[in-house]
Amino acid sequence: KGKDIKVDKKKTFGEYMDEYIETEVKPTVAGSTYHSYVNTMRANFDNFPIAKYQLHMLSAVEFESYYDTILGLKSRKTCSFPIQLTRRCCKWLVNRSLLKENYAEQARVKKEIIDEYDKKLDEEVKNRKEVFTPEDISVILLEQQFLVMELSVQKPVREL
């Protein structure tokens, strides 16, 4: 684990995100990539409520709300970076003992849930066995017709 640091209760998640980008991301990427990250987060994170929350206010529900909101406004490709960066920042905060759990990682994105449901449904349909194939039905109908014809040809049972 990383260094344990005292939590600054006034500091917002957005401020921690800026610190994370400056200290952890910037040294590992090219200058143009860094500026792209900053601009992407400015447009897709900074102006959302979650950026204004203090760490003790964060939860998986808050991240789900943020993810669902940006996915409703922006393309999936545009949203993938802020989602990924919030998850990485939360991991960094957990490693520094500033956050109990990685709530960003726990959050379920509605689109992921829908995709998972669709995948399960596709599997069920693929694995579903047909009770009767069209050929089976044809054979059964022919056998019934034959049976009906056979019964009509037989002599009636004598009454007592």
Side-chain angles (χ1 to χ4, degrees):
K1 284 208 169 192
K3 302 173 261 177
D4 286 0
I5 296 170
K6 190 174 183 324
V7 179
D8 179 351
K9 292 194 190 283
K10 293 184 196 110
K11 201 168 179 180
T12 65
F13 181 54
E15 291 170 320
Y16 278 110
M17 178 64 77
D18 291 341
E19 182 183 335
Y20 173 73
I21 291 170
E22 285 299 314
T23 62
E24 302 294 315
V25 178
K26 186 178 181 180
T28 64
V29 296
S32 58
T33 304
Y34 163 74
H35 289 294
S36 171
Y37 283 13
V38 169
N39 291 332
T40 300
M41 293 309 280
R42 194 171 292 138
N44 302 297
F45 175 77
D46 292 349
N47 52 342
F48 289 86
I50 200 159
K52 314 285 183 278
Y53 292 166
Q54 294 160 348
L55 297 186
H56 71 275
M57 299 164 76
L58 297 176
S59 68
V61 172
E62 295 301 338
F63 281 97
E64 284 174 10
S65 175
Y66 165 61
Y67 297 161
D68 291 341
T69 301
I70 63 169
L71 283 162
L73 299 170
K74 313 278 179 146
S75 75
R76 186 137 182 92
K77 185 178 178 187
T78 300
C79 297
S80 66
F81 181 71
I83 290 171
Q84 177 193 40
L85 211 55
T86 54
R87 289 174 176 169
R88 287 170 50 195
C89 181
C90 282
K91 182 179 180 183
W92 175 71
L93 289 167
V94 168
N95 288 342
R96 296 175 70 206
S97 302
L98 294 172
L99 198 60
K100 287 180 186 163
E101 300 175 58
N102 188 339
Y103 301 115
E105 195 69 52
Q106 295 170 5
R108 297 284 307 237
V109 179
K110 277 186 185 158
K111 176 78 174 117
E112 290 172 357
I113 295 168
I114 291 167
D115 289 349
E116 192 176 290
Y117 173 78
D118 288 346
K119 209 179 287 176
K120 281 183 183 169
L121 199 60
D122 287 347
E123 279 297 308
E124 284 177 20
V125 169
K126 194 172 85 180
N127 294 333
R128 190 178 295 154
K129 289 187 169 60
E130 291 183 31
V131 179
F132 295 107
T133 65
E135 293 79 23
D136 292 338
I137 294 170
S138 296
V139 169
I140 292 169
L141 290 174
L142 282 172
E143 287 174 348
Q144 278 185 329
Q145 286 175 338
F146 182 74
L147 189 60
V148 167
M149 286 176 17
E150 199 174 77
L151 287 173
S152 65
V153 172
Q154 286 180 354
K155 294 180 186 169
V157 178
R158 285 178 44 192
E159 292 181 24
L160 296 173

